[in-house]
Amino acid sequence: MIDALPLRSRAEDATAQLAPLLARAEQLALAVLPGGHGRKRAGNGDDFWQYRPVQAGDTLRMIDWRRSARSDSQFIRQKEWQISQSVHFWVDRAQSMQFASEPNLPQKMERAQLVALAIAVLLARGGERVGLSGENLPPRAGMKQVQRFAELLVMPKSEDFATPDVSHMQRNAFAVFVSDFLGDIDEVEARLHEAAFKGVHGVCLHVLDPMEESFPFRGRAVFRSVGGTVEHETLQAADLAERYRARLAERKARLESTCRKTGWQYACHHTNESAQAAVMWLYNVIEGPK
């Protein structure tokens, strides 16, 4: 039976962090794309984007004669692409994400929330539809959707580890998974294959604390999951280091291989690295050439 009081307390604490999280996400989005509003691709739309010189294959009816009359060249009036895409986010909020090895480092969940929300802000500004999988929040456009997205994003989960939810993902949509992926790796791979079967393309951002990579422990140590469901005691922690690093490397390799086979992309991000770099990489993947 789950004790409701600690979970309620964590939910109240998370709600108190909503406004600061939104503010940081807005600042991060502005730092990544100052003055921009997202998608800038030529296509069928109503909003003017730019003029470009006539190229081979252009027809006479495409030429903007008024603009062309002001110079010795002929120009095409391009309009911005207006077909928005649906982007499903799955952001791990299990208790394993509530870990930080040092006081000056953010928890993995804090970093995952910040990066995901900053991306959602950028996409919403560009007219894209964003949604949160695992919650009753299908993709919709607009900044009100981002507000609801953020409200759900800060709500903690009771399970120790989590696996992606792809049950309500729309066909041919885009998905963003942000997690430490410390749950059942077979289940994670199954979800990736299930998403790919639906025609969903996406990206996995693997968020880890630097200590989870280095394993600097020596002597007697007790390793306990954040939720307390897994525990292991050893008298010689250093003896585990090589095997631990090998297991982690194997897990990362499996994730990267599965992403490659399903047409997804993979990246590993550590909480002592720049959140801005992670946001920029993710945004370029999502809004890159289609």
Side-chain angles (χ1 to χ4, degrees):
M1 185 176 182
I2 298 174
D3 189 345
L5 289 179
L7 188 60
R8 179 179 177 181
S9 177
R10 290 199 303 272
E12 291 173 349
D13 291 342
T15 302
Q17 296 300 314
L18 179 58
L21 175 62
L22 273 167
R24 296 203 316 274
E26 288 275 3
Q27 292 172 354
L28 186 53
L30 185 61
V32 170
L33 201 67
H37 64 88
R39 179 178 59 254
K40 277 292 184 182
R41 296 193 294 273
N44 296 320
D46 298 321
D47 295 337
F48 168 71
W49 177 21
Q50 66 179 7
Y51 291 107
R52 67 163 175 81
V54 170
Q55 300 172 354
D58 293 335
T59 62
L60 289 175
R61 63 192 301 259
M62 296 171 63
I63 296 174
D64 188 292
W65 296 106
R66 179 176 298 179
R67 171 64 182 85
S68 300
R70 299 202 300 269
S71 69
D72 296 330
S73 302
Q74 294 177 328
F75 290 89
I76 300 294
R77 181 184 177 91
Q78 286 188 308
K79 296 181 179 179
E80 188 178 346
W81 184 254
Q82 291 297 310
I83 299 177
S84 61
Q85 65 176 329
S86 294
V87 181
H88 296 260
F89 287 81
W90 176 76
V91 182
D92 191 347
R93 288 168 286 149
Q95 294 191 56
S96 68
M97 294 289 285
Q98 299 174 25
F99 173 72
S101 60
E102 297 180 15
N104 62 329
L105 290 178
Q107 291 183 359
K108 291 181 289 184
M109 185 160 64
E110 292 173 356
R111 177 55 57 85
Q113 290 169 334
L114 177 60
V115 169
L117 187 54
I119 290 291
V121 168
L122 286 169
L123 293 174
R125 287 177 179 171
E128 312 285 26
R129 300 185 297 269
V130 298
L132 192 61
S133 292
E135 306 290 347
N136 186 24
L137 193 70
R140 293 191 177 90
M143 296 307 294
K144 286 185 178 180
Q145 175 78 349
V146 172
Q147 175 71 31
R148 182 58 180 153
F149 182 99
E151 291 170 357
L152 293 171
L153 194 64
V154 298
M155 291 294 106
K157 298 289 187 178
S158 60
E159 65 264 35
D160 218 352
F161 305 98
T163 54
D165 186 332
V166 302
S167 56
H168 295 96
M169 288 188 176
Q170 301 169 358
R171 290 193 173 275
N172 302 316
F174 196 93
V176 178
F177 293 170
V178 187
S179 173
D180 59 11
F181 295 109
L182 293 181
D184 188 334
I185 187 64
D186 293 330
E187 288 294 321
V188 174
E189 289 182 330
R191 298 297 181 273
L192 283 168
H193 284 290
E194 183 180 347
F197 182 76
K198 293 182 177 182
V200 176
H201 294 281
V203 57
C204 288
L205 184 66
H206 196 175
V207 179
L208 292 173
D209 184 279
M211 184 178 286
E212 292 174 321
E213 288 273 13
S214 62
F215 199 86
F217 307 102
R218 298 290 185 273
R220 181 181 181 274
V222 178
F223 301 99
R224 184 182 298 111
S225 63
V226 178
T229 61
V230 179
E231 182 174 315
H232 178 75
E233 182 176 357
T234 179
L235 296 177
Q236 296 294 334
D239 293 344
L240 300 176
E242 185 174 346
R243 280 180 289 167
Y244 169 84
R245 295 187 192 111
R247 290 285 297 273
L248 179 60
E250 179 188 5
R251 177 174 290 257
K252 291 167 69 176
R254 283 183 64 177
L255 274 171
E256 187 170 11
S257 176
T258 303
C259 285
R260 185 170 58 253
K261 292 175 182 176
T262 54
W264 284 45
Q265 295 198 48
Y266 168 89
C268 186
H269 172 76
H270 300 100
T271 54
N272 62 341
E273 297 172 344
S274 165
Q276 183 175 333
V279 171
M280 186 171 296
W281 180 83
L282 272 175
Y283 183 75
N284 287 334
V285 170
I286 299 170
E287 288 291 278
K290 297 295 187 286

